[in-house]
């Protein structure tokens, strides 16, 4: 057998021997552009826009099982003071880590985050896909006013 055929056989064996995780992850694999970021209240279904009505961002799911998300609030400007810099933190969501899909949830084990308290934690998100739209929902949690709320974040598949 020629060297080229041996190389082709080795590449084929290598590819077939790789664990196939894309099948489990495939519905969300890809790049998604942020469309909206809403906070929904459990009692009454009231919604508000903590990142403004026109936030920006992307979420990426790689077939290898890594994800990353960056979301920035509407109207951010370059800071000129330390107070401005600190305020920008409130309009930023950014983290990355290994993810897995379990039914209608993805679970990310964070290894980097804008919020250091999240590093090493698992963040679970419910999701649903409708055509080219991905909707992410956090778990219900108590707000400082004791009302239960969750984030509902909508993305559109990037082209």
């Amino acid at each position: 057998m020629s060297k080229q055929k041996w190389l082709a056989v080795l590449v084929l064996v290598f590819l077939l021997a790789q664990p196939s995780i894309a099948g489990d992850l495939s519905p969300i694999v890809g790049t998604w552009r942020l469309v909206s970021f809403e906070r929904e209240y459990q009692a009454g279904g009231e919604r508000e826009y903590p990142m403004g009505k026109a936030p920006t961002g992307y979420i990426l799911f790689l077939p290898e099982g890594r994800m990353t998300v960056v979301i920035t609030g509407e109207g951010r400007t370059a800071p000129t003071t330390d107070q401005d810099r600190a305020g920008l933190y409130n309009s930023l969501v950014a983290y990355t880590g290994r993810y897995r899909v379990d039914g209608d949830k993805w679970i990310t084990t964070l290894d980097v985050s804008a919020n250091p308290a999240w590093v090493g934690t698992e963040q679970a998100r419910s999701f649903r896909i409708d055509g080219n739209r991905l909707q992410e929902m956090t778990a219900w949690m108590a707000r400082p006013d004791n009302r239960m709320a969750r984030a509902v974040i909508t993305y559109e598949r990037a082209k």
Side-chain angles (χ1 to χ4, degrees), residues 63-150:
E64 297 82 18
R66 176 162 290 280
M67 65 80 66
T68 189
V69 62
V70 176
I71 296 172
T72 58
E74 176 182 33
R76 287 169 52 103
T77 58
T80 57
T81 67
D82 286 343
Q83 185 176 1
D84 290 346
R85 283 188 242 338
L88 287 174
Y89 181 80
N90 293 324
S91 62
L92 171 68
V93 176
Y95 59 87
T96 187
R98 303 279 309 160
Y99 77 99
R100 66 188 184 277
V101 173
D102 184 9
D104 67 347
K105 290 185 181 358
W106 77 71
I107 302 100
T108 307
T109 303
L110 276 57
D111 48 24
V112 177
S113 176
N115 180 351
W118 282 15
V119 174
T121 68
E122 285 195 338
Q123 297 293 315
R125 303 289 188 259
S126 297
F127 75 94
R128 79 175 139 245
I129 296 175
D130 184 14
N132 284 329
R133 293 271 171 132
L134 167 67
Q135 190 169 63
E136 166 189 2
M137 289 82 57
T138 65
W140 293 103
M141 22 189 159
R143 301 282 304 148
D145 62 5
N146 290 323
R147 294 192 300 164
M148 297 298 288
R150 68 178 179 179

